[in-house]
Amino acid sequence: MENKIKAYNNILELIGDTPLVKLNRITEKLPGNFYAKLESFNPGHSSKDRVAAYIIEEAERKGILTKGSTIIETTSGNTGFSIAMVSIIKGYECILAVSSKSSKDKIDMLRSMGATVYVCPAHVSADDPRSYYQVAKRLHEETKGSIYINQYFNELNIDAHYNTTGPEIWGQTDGQITHLVACSGTGGTISGTARYLKEQNPNINVIGVDAFGSVLKKYHETGEFDSNEIYPYRIEGLGKNLIPTATDFEVIDKFIKVTDEESAHAAREIAKTEGMFVGYTSGAVMQAIKQLSAKRTFDENSKVVVIFPDHGSRYMSKIYSDKWMEDQGFFDSQSVEGTQQAQF
Ligand code: PMP
């Protein structure tokens, strides 16, 4: 009898082919058309599913990984979750060294997905032996038969998006995209997507979103690493205190910096106006769109694609907590946005 059951063989088959959704109310007063690539529709709820699956499958193709091998990575959470998910299905051990800046929710989630998690201090330099880079490197050296994904310095991170996100956006916009606006952390998303899109149409304008407290924008402009640019900030996954080789600075036309506060408010506004429950960096992208619009970057013919990297559920104890927002000084004392104060 013919098998008529319409089921995927496993969760990994759902990676990629995420929807592109028009933004309406939040961009109402801005010239141009804006479309959001909703990466939270990946089964691990972020764009990092693509990278984890791609890099692990490349290692399998090359015969580097065998059943029971250990996969090690540094991560702000999303990559770890994706690697843990892929490891479960494919039968690998997963060890993650994460920054103490990551939310408790994210760390608990990684452990729930079977990963062994080491929490490392956020505000030490990358070459400090306590940093999550150095911890991961050491664990890799100590664990026989392990692979280190090393997403900041792995070209395959770019290739994952070159082969998937780029072609998807080109197809979904019928080749009409004029601008791509995306966060840069490792740089894999923006670099791979932009590389593909610019091969199709070199006139597409690519704008990277960076954080105040990160070196990327200045490095892009001057070619110099300026440590004066580095200071702590709250957005997880955006910007960097080093120059990742997984960023192809050539395909990025310019960077724009956004603040923690405005990005948090922008994420909350996306939820309230578009009904899209997105993560902190999606707010950063939206804030960038506002700043770029104020500088007249777009006109009525613009077809702007923004990438919303992950889902809001990962930030319940941060940007979606009024208490957290207040504690950061992100609300002025007069108005707690959207909250009805009881009258007695
Ligand atoms: N947003 C979030 C929430 C992330 O975790 C990351 C990855 N660090 C990014 C954006 C940036 O993506 P990429 O690393 O591909 O530049």
Side-chain angles (χ1 to χ4, degrees):
M1 202 176 89
E2 198 188 339
N3 182 359
K4 289 193 173 157
I5 295 177
K6 292 186 180 67
Y8 292 92
N9 290 309
N10 63 54
I11 198 78
L12 303 186
E13 290 188 358
L14 285 155
I15 295 174
D17 287 325
T18 55
L20 190 69
V21 184
K22 191 172 193 301
L23 296 173
N24 296 297
R25 281 171 59 196
I26 199 164
T27 49
E28 213 167 35
K29 297 199 174 85
L30 311 179
N33 301 285
F34 298 85
Y35 305 90
K37 181 84 168 149
L38 295 183
E39 288 296 288
S40 59
F41 275 68
N42 283 297
H45 304 153
S46 88
S47 55
K48 294 297 180 175
D49 283 1
R50 300 173 185 273
V51 177
Y54 190 85
I55 295 180
I56 290 169
E57 282 166 12
E58 273 297 301
E60 286 173 340
R61 269 192 286 277
K62 290 179 189 150
I64 300 168
L65 283 173
T66 53
K67 264 250 167 322
S69 288
T70 300
I71 303 175
I72 297 171
E73 182 53 330
T74 55
T75 173
S76 65
N78 284 330
T79 309
F81 188 90
S82 300
I83 295 170
M85 184 180 78
V86 176
S87 298
I88 287 168
I89 303 304
K90 291 177 173 286
Y92 303 124
E93 293 295 316
C94 173
I95 298 183
L96 304 168
V98 313
S99 157
S100 57
K101 202 166 70 168
S102 303
S103 69
K104 183 176 176 300
D105 296 350
K106 281 188 176 180
I107 293 166
D108 286 345
M109 216 167 3
L110 298 176
R111 292 193 170 128
S112 306
M113 292 293 282
T116 303
V117 183
Y118 292 81
V119 181
C120 309
H123 306 310
V124 296
S125 69
D127 53 8
D128 188 298
R130 296 166 298 167
S131 78
Y132 53 101
Y133 310 108
Q134 299 305 325
V135 170
K137 240 170 86 182
R138 181 172 55 77
L139 289 168
H140 173 46
E141 283 157 14
E142 288 171 1
T143 312
K144 251 180 119 178
S146 64
I147 69 156
Y148 178 20
I149 300 277
N150 204 8
Q151 60 171 338
Y152 286 91
F153 299 98
N154 192 335
E155 286 275 322
L156 296 174
N157 180 355
I158 298 179
D159 295 349
H161 292 285
Y162 177 88
N163 285 303
T164 67
T165 321
E168 286 172 30
I169 291 173
W170 183 251
Q172 286 167 320
T173 59
D174 197 26
Q176 295 177 53
I177 173 176
T178 58
H179 298 75
L180 172 73
V181 183
C183 292
S184 205
T186 66
T189 306
I190 191 166
S191 304
T193 307
R195 191 181 282 172
Y196 180 88
L197 291 173
K198 285 198 170 187
E199 279 176 13
Q200 314 312 308
N201 174 5
N203 296 325
I204 295 170
N205 207 261
V206 176
I207 300 151
V209 183
D210 191 18
F212 285 100
S214 153
V215 293
L216 299 178
K217 180 173 191 284
K218 183 88 175 268
Y219 179 78
H220 184 251
E221 287 164 1
T222 65
E224 275 161 36
F225 179 86
D226 183 356
S227 58
N228 293 320
E229 292 285 300
I230 301 171
Y231 52 87
Y233 56 91
R234 297 179 185 83
I235 311 177
E236 296 162 37
L238 174 64
K240 215 54 222 169
N241 58 356
L242 49 74
I243 308 301
T245 57
T247 307
D248 179 357
F249 286 90
E250 295 282 311
V251 295
I252 302 167
D253 294 295
K254 69 168 177 176
F255 278 91
I256 183 163
K257 282 197 175 194
V258 293
T259 67
D260 287 335
E261 178 168 358
E262 288 173 315
S263 302
H265 282 293
R268 293 166 68 106
E269 194 186 344
I270 295 166
K272 292 225 168 88
T273 54
E274 303 292 333
M276 297 174 185
F277 196 46
V278 294
Y280 204 166
T281 54
S282 304
V285 174
M286 196 60 234
Q287 177 57 27
I289 291 294
K290 292 180 183 195
Q291 291 171 208
L292 290 163
S293 290
K295 289 183 187 160
R296 301 184 197 285
T297 306
F298 312 119
D299 61 33
E300 66 275 12
N301 297 318
S302 299
K303 294 197 168 48
V304 184
V305 172
V306 299
I307 298 181
F308 285 172
D310 73 351
H311 195 262
S313 58
R314 296 202 168 150
Y315 305 88
M316 285 313 297
S317 57
K318 294 204 167 179
I319 56 169
Y320 293 112
S321 154
D322 284 352
K323 166 96 175 54
W324 185 86
M325 290 290 282
E326 248 183 298
D327 290 347
Q328 313 310 308
F330 288 176
F331 286 140
D332 64 47
S333 54
Q334 299 308 305
S335 69
V336 174
E337 187 189 85
T339 302
Q340 298 295 321
Q341 300 290 344
Q343 302 290 317
F344 294 103

